[in-house]
Amino acid sequence: MPEARAKSENAFRTIGELAGDLGVPQHILRYWETRFPQLRPLQRAGNRRYYRPDDVALARRIHRLLNQDGYTIRGVQQLLTSGADDGEERDGAPDAEPAEPNPGFPADELRSLRGMLADALDGR
């Protein structure tokens, strides 16, 4: 059998390929399409979805904001609408902090708790 070749960065991705890359189920990507109007893959016959490179980059950014940076769906919607988190550097400095951090939100404690829970599940 021939070896599987990696797709070009400019190639379109199916929903299965993108879901596998992000480590999320396909239904999550379909849900994101209902919540983020910016995420609009091409749909061919039979409603097959093909994600363009820009869609792939947006899905990765949404995934990062939700799962690593601790934003809610509504928070990510506001960021994308305002263009505050474009994933690029401004004035030579990367955007490391959310646009408007909530000083009362215990993000570090929640990340620590998430790590402890993950470790507990791994040690079953």
Side-chain angles (χ1 to χ4, degrees):
M1 293 180 89
E3 290 183 28
R5 294 182 359 192
K7 278 191 168 183
S8 164
E9 286 296 317
N10 295 324
F12 287 24
R13 303 272 193 270
T14 65
I15 191 168
E17 291 169 337
L18 182 57
D21 288 349
L22 295 177
V24 298
Q26 294 178 14
H27 72 270
I28 297 294
L29 291 171
R30 288 188 213 100
Y31 174 72
W32 288 352
E33 290 172 22
T34 67
R35 295 293 173 230
F36 303 105
Q38 302 90 338
L39 186 61
R40 287 286 158 225
L42 295 175
Q43 289 191 340
R44 298 290 187 206
N47 283 333
R48 284 179 289 185
R49 290 167 168 82
Y50 291 97
Y51 291 85
R52 297 169 285 229
D54 289 343
D55 295 322
V56 171
L58 178 59
R60 286 184 176 142
R61 198 161 81 219
I62 291 170
H63 184 262
R64 176 183 54 85
L65 289 168
L66 290 171
N67 296 303
Q68 294 174 359
D69 296 347
Y71 281 90
T72 62
I73 294 284
R74 175 157 288 198
V76 175
Q77 288 171 334
Q78 291 173 353
L79 277 176
L80 294 178
T81 301
S82 70
D85 181 68
D86 57 10
E88 297 179 7
E89 294 184 4
R90 284 191 200 86
D91 301 319
D95 280 342
E97 294 295 322
E100 295 180 26
N102 182 347
F105 185 75
D108 292 334
E109 291 84 3
L110 290 175
R111 284 189 191 99
S112 174
L113 181 59
R114 181 188 290 173
M116 291 186 332
L117 290 172
D119 291 343
L121 288 173
D122 289 342
R124 286 187 228 182

